[in-house]
CSV table of all heavy atoms in Angstrom, one decimal:
chain,number,residue,atom,x,y,z
A,1,LEU,N,9.2,-15.7,-2.1
A,1,LEU,CA,8.0,-15.3,-2.8
A,1,LEU,C,6.9,-14.8,-1.8
A,1,LEU,O,6.2,-13.8,-2.0
A,1,LEU,CB,7.4,-16.5,-3.5
A,1,LEU,CG,6.1,-16.3,-4.4
A,1,LEU,CD1,6.3,-15.2,-5.4
A,1,LEU,CD2,5.7,-17.6,-5.0
A,2,ASP,N,6.8,-15.5,-0.6
A,2,ASP,CA,5.9,-15.1,0.4
A,2,ASP,C,6.2,-13.7,1.0
A,2,ASP,O,5.4,-12.8,1.2
A,2,ASP,CB,5.8,-16.1,1.5
A,2,ASP,CG,5.3,-17.4,1.1
A,2,ASP,OD1,4.5,-17.5,0.1
A,2,ASP,OD2,5.6,-18.5,1.7
A,3,ARG,N,7.6,-13.5,1.2
A,3,ARG,CA,8.0,-12.2,1.7
A,3,ARG,C,7.8,-11.1,0.7
A,3,ARG,O,7.3,-10.0,1.0
A,3,ARG,CB,9.5,-12.3,2.0
A,3,ARG,CG,10.1,-11.0,2.6
A,3,ARG,CD,11.5,-11.2,3.0
A,3,ARG,NE,12.4,-11.3,1.9
A,3,ARG,CZ,13.0,-12.4,1.5
A,3,ARG,NH1,12.8,-13.5,2.2
A,3,ARG,NH2,13.8,-12.4,0.5
A,4,LEU,N,8.1,-11.4,-0.6
A,4,LEU,CA,7.8,-10.4,-1.7
A,4,LEU,C,6.3,-10.1,-1.8
A,4,LEU,O,5.9,-9.0,-1.9
A,4,LEU,CB,8.3,-10.9,-3.0
A,4,LEU,CG,9.9,-10.9,-3.1
A,4,LEU,CD1,10.3,-11.6,-4.5
A,4,LEU,CD2,10.5,-9.5,-3.0
A,5,ARG,N,5.5,-11.2,-1.7
A,5,ARG,CA,4.1,-11.0,-1.7
A,5,ARG,C,3.6,-10.1,-0.5
A,5,ARG,O,2.7,-9.2,-0.7
A,5,ARG,CB,3.4,-12.4,-1.7
A,5,ARG,CG,1.8,-12.3,-1.9
A,5,ARG,CD,1.2,-13.6,-1.8
A,5,ARG,NE,1.5,-14.5,-2.9
A,5,ARG,CZ,2.3,-15.5,-2.8
A,5,ARG,NH1,2.8,-15.9,-1.6
A,5,ARG,NH2,2.5,-16.3,-3.8
A,6,LEU,N,4.2,-10.4,0.7
A,6,LEU,CA,3.8,-9.6,1.8
A,6,LEU,C,4.3,-8.2,1.7
A,6,LEU,O,3.5,-7.2,2.0
A,6,LEU,CB,4.4,-10.2,3.1
A,6,LEU,CG,4.1,-9.5,4.4
A,6,LEU,CD1,2.6,-9.6,4.7
A,6,LEU,CD2,4.9,-10.2,5.6
A,7,GLU,N,5.5,-8.0,1.2
A,7,GLU,CA,6.0,-6.6,1.0
A,7,GLU,C,5.2,-5.9,-0.1
A,7,GLU,O,4.8,-4.7,0.1
A,7,GLU,CB,7.5,-6.7,0.5
A,7,GLU,CG,8.5,-7.1,1.6
A,7,GLU,CD,9.9,-7.2,1.1
A,7,GLU,OE1,10.1,-7.0,-0.2
A,7,GLU,OE2,10.8,-7.5,1.9
A,8,HIS,N,4.8,-6.7,-1.1
A,8,HIS,CA,4.0,-6.0,-2.2
A,8,HIS,C,2.6,-5.7,-1.6
A,8,HIS,O,2.1,-4.6,-1.9
A,8,HIS,CB,3.8,-7.0,-3.3
A,8,HIS,CG,3.0,-6.5,-4.5
A,8,HIS,ND1,3.4,-5.4,-5.2
A,8,HIS,CD2,1.8,-6.9,-5.0
A,8,HIS,CE1,2.5,-5.1,-6.1
A,8,HIS,NE2,1.5,-6.0,-6.0
A,9,GLN,N,2.0,-6.5,-0.8
A,9,GLN,CA,0.8,-6.2,-0.1
A,9,GLN,C,0.9,-5.0,0.8
A,9,GLN,O,0.0,-4.1,0.8
A,9,GLN,CB,0.3,-7.4,0.7
A,9,GLN,CG,-0.2,-8.6,-0.2
A,9,GLN,CD,-0.6,-9.8,0.6
A,9,GLN,OE1,-0.5,-9.8,1.8
A,9,GLN,NE2,-1.1,-10.8,-0.1
A,10,ASN,N,2.1,-5.0,1.5
A,10,ASN,CA,2.3,-3.8,2.4
A,10,ASN,C,2.4,-2.5,1.6
A,10,ASN,O,1.9,-1.5,2.0
A,10,ASN,CB,3.5,-4.1,3.3
A,10,ASN,CG,3.3,-5.2,4.3
A,10,ASN,OD1,2.2,-5.5,4.7
A,10,ASN,ND2,4.4,-5.8,4.7
A,11,GLU,N,3.2,-2.7,0.5
A,11,GLU,CA,3.4,-1.5,-0.4
A,11,GLU,C,2.1,-1.0,-1.0
A,11,GLU,O,1.8,0.2,-1.0
A,11,GLU,CB,4.4,-1.8,-1.5
A,11,GLU,CG,5.8,-1.9,-1.0
A,11,GLU,CD,6.8,-2.3,-2.1
A,11,GLU,OE1,6.3,-2.5,-3.3
A,11,GLU,OE2,8.0,-2.4,-1.9
A,12,LEU,N,1.3,-2.0,-1.4
A,12,LEU,CA,0.0,-1.7,-1.9
A,12,LEU,C,-0.9,-1.0,-0.9
A,12,LEU,O,-1.6,-0.1,-1.1
A,12,LEU,CB,-0.7,-3.0,-2.5
A,12,LEU,CG,-0.2,-3.5,-3.8
A,12,LEU,CD1,-0.9,-4.8,-4.1
A,12,LEU,CD2,-0.3,-2.5,-4.9
A,13,GLN,N,-0.8,-1.6,0.4
A,13,GLN,CA,-1.6,-1.0,1.4
A,13,GLN,C,-1.1,0.4,1.8
A,13,GLN,O,-2.0,1.3,2.0
A,13,GLN,CB,-1.5,-1.9,2.7
A,13,GLN,CG,-2.4,-1.5,3.8
A,13,GLN,CD,-3.9,-1.6,3.5
A,13,GLN,OE1,-4.3,-2.5,2.8
A,13,GLN,NE2,-4.7,-0.6,4.0
A,14,ALA,N,0.2,0.6,1.8
A,14,ALA,CA,0.8,1.9,2.1
A,14,ALA,C,0.4,2.9,1.0
A,14,ALA,O,0.0,4.0,1.2
A,14,ALA,CB,2.3,1.8,2.2
A,15,SER,N,0.5,2.4,-0.3
A,15,SER,CA,0.1,3.2,-1.4
A,15,SER,C,-1.3,3.6,-1.4
A,15,SER,O,-1.7,4.7,-1.6
A,15,SER,CB,0.4,2.5,-2.7
A,15,SER,OG,1.8,2.2,-2.9
A,16,LEU,N,-2.1,2.6,-1.0
A,16,LEU,CA,-3.6,2.8,-0.9
A,16,LEU,C,-3.8,3.8,0.2
A,16,LEU,O,-4.7,4.7,0.1
A,16,LEU,CB,-4.3,1.5,-0.6
A,16,LEU,CG,-5.8,1.6,-0.5
A,16,LEU,CD1,-6.4,2.1,-1.8
A,16,LEU,CD2,-6.4,0.2,-0.1
A,17,THR,N,-3.1,3.7,1.4
A,17,THR,CA,-3.3,4.6,2.5
A,17,THR,C,-2.9,6.0,2.0
A,17,THR,O,-3.5,7.0,2.4
A,17,THR,CB,-2.4,4.1,3.7
A,17,THR,OG1,-2.8,2.8,4.0
A,17,THR,CG2,-2.6,5.1,4.8
A,18,ASN,N,-1.7,6.1,1.3
A,18,ASN,CA,-1.2,7.4,0.9
A,18,ASN,C,-2.2,8.0,-0.1
A,18,ASN,O,-2.5,9.2,-0.1
A,18,ASN,CB,0.1,7.3,0.2
A,18,ASN,CG,1.2,6.9,1.2
A,18,ASN,OD1,1.2,7.3,2.4
A,18,ASN,ND2,2.3,6.2,0.7
A,19,ILE,N,-2.7,7.2,-1.0
A,19,ILE,CA,-3.7,7.7,-2.0
A,19,ILE,C,-5.0,8.2,-1.2
A,19,ILE,O,-5.5,9.2,-1.6
A,19,ILE,CB,-4.1,6.6,-3.0
A,19,ILE,CG1,-2.9,6.3,-3.9
A,19,ILE,CG2,-5.3,7.0,-3.8
A,19,ILE,CD1,-3.1,5.1,-4.8
A,20,GLU,N,-5.4,7.4,-0.2
A,20,GLU,CA,-6.6,7.8,0.5
A,20,GLU,C,-6.3,9.2,1.3
A,20,GLU,O,-7.1,10.0,1.3
A,20,GLU,CB,-6.9,6.8,1.5
A,20,GLU,CG,-7.5,5.5,0.9
A,20,GLU,CD,-7.8,4.4,1.9
A,20,GLU,OE1,-7.4,4.6,3.1
A,20,GLU,OE2,-8.4,3.4,1.5
A,21,LYS,N,-5.0,9.3,1.9
A,21,LYS,CA,-4.6,10.5,2.5
A,21,LYS,C,-4.6,11.7,1.5
A,21,LYS,O,-5.1,12.8,1.8
A,21,LYS,CB,-3.3,10.4,3.2
A,21,LYS,CG,-3.3,9.5,4.4
A,21,LYS,CD,-1.9,9.4,5.0
A,21,LYS,CE,-1.9,8.5,6.3
A,21,LYS,NZ,-0.5,8.5,6.8
A,22,GLU,N,-4.0,11.4,0.3
A,22,GLU,CA,-4.0,12.5,-0.7
A,22,GLU,C,-5.4,12.8,-1.1
A,22,GLU,O,-5.7,14.0,-1.3
A,22,GLU,CB,-3.1,12.0,-1.9
A,22,GLU,CG,-1.6,11.9,-1.6
A,22,GLU,CD,-0.9,11.4,-2.8
A,22,GLU,OE1,-1.5,11.1,-3.8
A,22,GLU,OE2,0.4,11.3,-2.7
A,23,ARG,N,-6.2,11.8,-1.3
A,23,ARG,CA,-7.6,12.1,-1.6
A,23,ARG,C,-8.3,12.9,-0.6
A,23,ARG,O,-9.0,13.9,-0.9
A,23,ARG,CB,-8.4,10.7,-1.8
A,23,ARG,CG,-9.8,10.9,-2.2
A,23,ARG,CD,-10.6,9.6,-1.9
A,23,ARG,NE,-10.6,9.3,-0.5
A,23,ARG,CZ,-11.0,8.1,0.0
A,23,ARG,NH1,-11.4,7.2,-0.8
A,23,ARG,NH2,-10.9,8.0,1.4
A,24,ASP,N,-8.1,12.5,0.7
A,24,ASP,CA,-8.7,13.3,1.8
A,24,ASP,C,-8.1,14.7,1.8
A,24,ASP,O,-8.9,15.7,2.0
A,24,ASP,CB,-8.4,12.6,3.1
A,24,ASP,CG,-9.1,11.3,3.2
A,24,ASP,OD1,-10.1,11.1,2.5
A,24,ASP,OD2,-8.7,10.4,4.0
A,25,GLN,N,-6.8,14.8,1.6
A,25,GLN,CA,-6.2,16.2,1.5
A,25,GLN,C,-6.7,17.0,0.4
A,25,GLN,O,-7.0,18.2,0.6
A,25,GLN,CB,-4.6,16.1,1.4
A,25,GLN,CG,-4.0,15.5,2.7
A,25,GLN,CD,-2.5,15.4,2.5
A,25,GLN,OE1,-1.9,15.6,1.4
A,25,GLN,NE2,-1.8,14.9,3.5
A,26,ILE,N,-6.8,16.3,-0.8
A,26,ILE,CA,-7.4,17.1,-1.9
A,26,ILE,C,-8.8,17.5,-1.7
A,26,ILE,O,-9.2,18.6,-2.0
A,26,ILE,CB,-7.3,16.2,-3.2
A,26,ILE,CG1,-5.8,16.0,-3.6
A,26,ILE,CG2,-8.1,16.8,-4.4
A,26,ILE,CD1,-5.6,15.0,-4.7
């Protein structure tokens, strides 16, 4: 559960980073 939570947090962070990059690119 901790690993999944960490992976989910990492994925959320990565998604957030990608969204921010896409936002900046847009």
Side-chain angles (χ1 to χ4, degrees):
L1 182 61
D2 295 337
R3 186 175 67 255
L4 292 174
R5 186 183 291 108
L6 182 60
E7 291 177 356
H8 183 63
Q9 290 177 355
N10 293 333
E11 290 178 356
L12 288 176
Q13 186 64 35
S15 300
L16 182 61
T17 304
N18 293 330
I19 291 172
E20 291 177 351
K21 289 182 179 179
E22 292 178 357
R23 182 199 61 191
D24 296 337
Q25 291 178 356
I26 292 172

